Amino acid sequence: MSTKDIGRRGMLLGTTASAATMLASSAGAQSQSPSPSTATAPVTAAGGTKPNIVLIVSDDFGWGDAGAYLGGKARGMPTPSLDRMAAEGMMFTSFYAQPSCTPGRAAMQTGRIPNRSGMTTVAFQGQGGGLPAAEWTLASVLKTAGYKTFFTGKWHLGEADYAMPNAHGYDEMKYCGLYHLNAYTYSDPNWFPDMDPKLRAMFERVTKGALSAKAGEPVKEDFKINGQYLDTPDEGVVGIPFFDAYVEKASLDYLDSAGSLGAPFFMSINFMKVHQPNLPAPEFIHKSMAKTKYADSVVENDTRIGRIMDRIRSLGLDKNTYVFWTSDNGAWQDVYPDAGYTPFRGTKGTDREGGSRVPSIAWGPGIKPEGRNDEIVGGLDYMATFAALGGAKIPDNDRAGKPIIFDSYDLSPVLFGTDVSPRKSWFYFTENELTPGAARIGNYKAQFNLRGADGAQTGGLAVDTNLGWKGPDEYVATVPQVFDLWQDPQERYDVFMNNYTEHTWVVVTINTAIHDLMQTYVKYPPRPSQSETYTGPITISDYERFQFVRSELSKDGVEIPLPTGN
């Protein structure tokens, strides 16, 4: 299959089928990983009981924002709670999320690449739809092992009844927010005075506020959310600055009731901070050293996380509870200074490191204090890891009874120092991509989609205002960019082939991994996209190319020969 046949979309360098087969058996650990979603024996803590599991997710939190990641006071915003958590547990430096909110949260909840579940793009109010009912979530899997489950905060996985947390394995959801923060300002004339009144009325009608319900019960709206400094739940309105206080309260109340649950529990706690627009709660205004809205919001987020950790300790739950903290996607540098920091190139919404690499900390019994892990791991791995900790079996079929595949690896051996990470690769996707826009094997990364490369073409960050998020899809025509992420984590020096080095051989292993990934789509077809996106006009040539690619995928997958010559 030639590059002419497949065209610009989804290009990747390849080998012949026979070479791919040969590589699969000869490349060893670098190109091959153990099968995902194989959970080890359950790990139990004090007393031999199943451990409680708490997942705390911040929003758009930059890789370099927390003190443990050389941010904190160095950036004018101390993070003592996260720093303590890192000192008492394990922090990860090569932990990956997805490039934006909805796919990032879908990947964590399902343990599956977002294009498998159809959750590839950000969902807006009024679109309906959401996480398909047939998908498994962390909650629904842990419930098979006897867990009580609880959700609070930002969901962002659709607004249909079947897509709500209480329809996806959560026994209870409290103050669930369905959208990104800007969505709650659309109907506010103070924010958008130029909006057509009819459009404003539509947003007022379709936008749902904070929702609560138990499994099997109708969802109840607790209050509307807007962009004002208002905390009037009795009047039905709470402003963005106060929302995370309700998430914190719901979490603390649930922890206080944990003794009466009669079972181990799983909590999914999702703060709105620090997604823009950052509107810190009144008590946190100018409490950071930098006294900016973003820095104040980081201090607020760290404080609320610290209060949850303190409650776990004070209740004695720390002896049998694991806490995991991370962010849903890479930092949104494009709206600086109301955004996070990362030393990496690119931003949220791109396949660059800055789009997906996020901070992450694991804490709990048996995890060695001051641990640090630099291996490839990610939010996809929570599914298999939590299943191993809780003694749950990873399902073979989806909730509709059809075969399902997971992209999750059990990281419990990493947490307890008994083995290295079983994951050797990471695939990067933005929105409409089926073939990954970039792929990492070991320390080498091949970049196919250059989205976000507008503006400065070289240098550390190489982003320009909004071009990282809204930049056009731009795929390399013949060969990818190749970066050694150990020596060049900022992706500044393409080492595929230049006047001082040549690493064309790297793509052989990377293409083998992509070949294996693409084959899984044949046996396990992706679900239809669950939210709207625009990928440009549909042309006759695109239609013909689609028919050809579909035929090729049903046979042997996609193969493109390596380039020849120097």
Side-chain angles (χ1 to χ4, degrees):
M1 183 176 180
S2 68
T3 54
K4 180 179 178 181
D5 290 324
I6 193 169
R8 293 180 70 244
R9 297 290 296 176
M11 274 187 204
L12 51 109
L13 291 170
T15 58
T16 63
S18 58
T21 303
M22 176 184 68
L23 283 162
S25 60
S26 65
Q30 184 176 2
S31 64
Q32 297 300 303
S33 301
S35 298
S37 70
T38 44
T40 60
V43 178
T44 56
T49 58
K50 289 184 177 181
N52 308 308
I53 302 172
V54 178
L55 174 61
I56 304 176
V57 180
S58 297
D59 198 318
D60 289 12
F61 202 103
W63 188 95
D65 286 339
Y69 286 82
L70 303 182
K73 288 184 178 179
R75 299 203 58 241
M77 44 192 192
T79 56
S81 301
L82 290 171
D83 298 348
R84 179 182 176 183
M85 186 178 178
E88 295 176 352
M90 176 178 289
M91 60 177 285
F92 299 88
T93 64
S94 291
F95 190 98
Y96 289 94
Q98 304 294 320
S100 64
C101 300
T102 296
R105 293 167 188 277
M108 282 188 278
Q109 286 289 336
T110 66
R112 283 158 46 84
I113 293 170
N115 60 32
R116 298 195 192 278
S117 61
M119 304 300 291
T120 59
T121 57
V122 170
F124 288 82
Q125 65 269 44
Q127 290 183 334
L131 189 64
E135 288 289 328
W136 289 96
T137 64
L138 297 171
S140 55
V141 168
L142 286 173
K143 278 194 69 63
T144 66
Y147 274 72
K148 298 293 185 180
T149 54
F150 175 80
F151 182 93
T152 184
K154 180 175 177 177
W155 178 242
H156 212 176
L157 296 178
E159 58 186 4
D161 290 342
Y162 65 79
M164 296 287 177
N166 69 328
H168 273 286
Y170 288 97
D171 297 321
E172 181 181 0
M173 68 180 198
K174 187 71 172 175
Y175 304 128
C176 174
L178 297 184
Y179 322 109
H180 58 86
L181 284 183
N182 298 93
Y184 298 106
T185 67
Y186 289 163
S187 61
D188 190 332
N190 292 297
W191 282 78
F192 302 107
D194 57 335
M195 182 180 290
D196 182 276
K198 292 182 179 179
L199 181 59
R200 190 188 318 283
M202 184 276 290
F203 279 124
E204 289 177 347
R205 183 177 68 255
V206 303
T207 304
K208 301 175 182 178
L211 306 177
S212 296
K214 293 185 177 180
E217 294 182 353
V219 172
K220 175 178 70 74
E221 185 176 68
D222 301 297
F223 46 75
K224 295 290 186 183
I225 304 171
N226 69 12
Q228 306 302 316
Y229 271 84
L230 294 172
D231 187 14
T232 55
D234 293 340
E235 298 176 18
V237 180
V238 170
I240 289 171
F242 300 90
F243 183 79
D244 277 357
Y246 287 84
V247 175
E248 176 194 326
K249 182 180 185 303
S251 302
L252 297 178
D253 289 346
Y254 190 81
L255 287 170
D256 287 341
S257 69
S260 63
L261 293 176
F265 62 82
F266 166 62
M267 300 177 68
S268 180
I269 303 171
N270 302 265
F271 288 106
M272 291 287 196
K273 296 291 192 309
V274 283
H275 191 292
Q276 61 87 32
N278 277 292
L279 301 173
E283 66 269 31
F284 291 99
I285 293 176
H286 295 168
K287 286 301 186 287
S288 68
M289 297 153 59
K291 303 190 186 312
T292 66
K293 290 182 178 180
Y294 183 80
D296 292 345
S297 296
V298 168
V299 171
E300 176 184 344
N301 190 225
D302 178 81
T303 302
R304 298 196 190 283
I305 293 171
R307 289 170 182 167
I308 292 171
M309 296 297 295
D310 287 344
R311 187 63 57 89
I312 290 172
R313 296 183 184 101
S314 66
L315 291 171
L317 295 170
D318 54 317
K319 299 177 179 60
N320 198 33
T321 299
Y322 292 97
V323 182
F324 298 82
W325 169 78
T326 190
S327 183
D328 56 349
N329 48 250
W332 197 346
Q333 300 163 300
D334 289 350
V335 291
Y336 179 86
D338 193 31
Y341 170 74
T342 167
F344 307 116
R345 182 175 181 176
T347 180
K348 172 182 176 179
T350 73
D351 289 319
R352 298 291 187 186
E353 289 297 286
S356 297
R357 207 190 287 204
V358 296
S360 177
I361 300 172
W363 176 96
I367 300 177
K368 186 178 179 181
E370 298 184 351
R372 169 174 160 156
N373 184 277
D374 305 306
E375 301 169 288
I376 303 173
V377 293
L380 285 168
D381 300 321
Y382 284 142
M383 175 63 81
T385 304
F386 292 1
L389 292 173
K393 181 182 182 300
I394 297 292
D396 296 320
N397 296 317
D398 67 15
R399 295 173 76 189
K402 296 182 179 179
I404 191 172
I405 187 174
F406 292 86
D407 303 286
S408 189
Y409 289 87
D410 173 21
L411 300 181
S412 58
V414 176
L415 300 178
F416 305 119
T418 60
D419 206 347
V420 298
S421 171
R423 178 181 289 283
K424 307 303 176 186
S425 62
W426 190 263
F427 300 110
Y428 306 70
F429 299 91
T430 58
E431 299 189 353
N432 197 44
E433 291 175 332
L434 188 63
T435 55
R440 176 181 178 180
I441 304 290
N443 55 305
Y444 288 105
K445 177 180 180 180
Q447 183 79 35
F448 305 104
N449 184 352
L450 306 185
R451 182 175 182 174
D454 306 77
Q457 296 294 315
T458 59
L461 299 179
V463 294
D464 200 354
T465 302
N466 271 334
L467 290 177
W469 179 250
K470 299 191 299 186
D473 291 343
E474 181 185 346
Y475 288 83
V476 290
T478 306
V479 298
Q481 295 178 336
V482 171
F483 302 98
D484 182 345
L485 294 180
W486 284 351
Q487 299 188 67
D488 179 27
Q490 292 180 320
E491 300 173 271
R492 293 181 295 175
Y493 305 105
D494 177 9
V495 296
F496 182 85
M497 185 182 297
N498 54 39
N499 62 354
Y500 64 88
T501 188
E502 183 256 324
H503 282 76
T504 55
W505 52 269
V506 168
V507 186
V508 177
T509 4
I510 290 176
N511 183 68
T512 302
I514 294 177
H515 172 273
D516 294 342
L517 170 70
M518 296 303 292
Q519 286 292 88
T520 67
Y521 295 130
V522 178
K523 185 175 180 181
Y524 306 97
R527 302 190 195 279
S529 180
Q530 297 298 306
S531 51
E532 298 176 10
T533 186
Y534 179 68
T535 59
I538 299 175
T539 64
I540 295 174
S541 58
D542 284 338
Y543 175 77
E544 293 173 345
R545 184 181 300 120
F546 169 76
Q547 295 288 6
F548 178 77
V549 170
R550 184 174 182 178
S551 174
E552 288 297 302
L553 282 174
S554 67
K555 298 175 184 176
D556 299 313
V558 178
E559 298 291 346
I560 305 175
L562 277 169
T564 57
N566 272 326

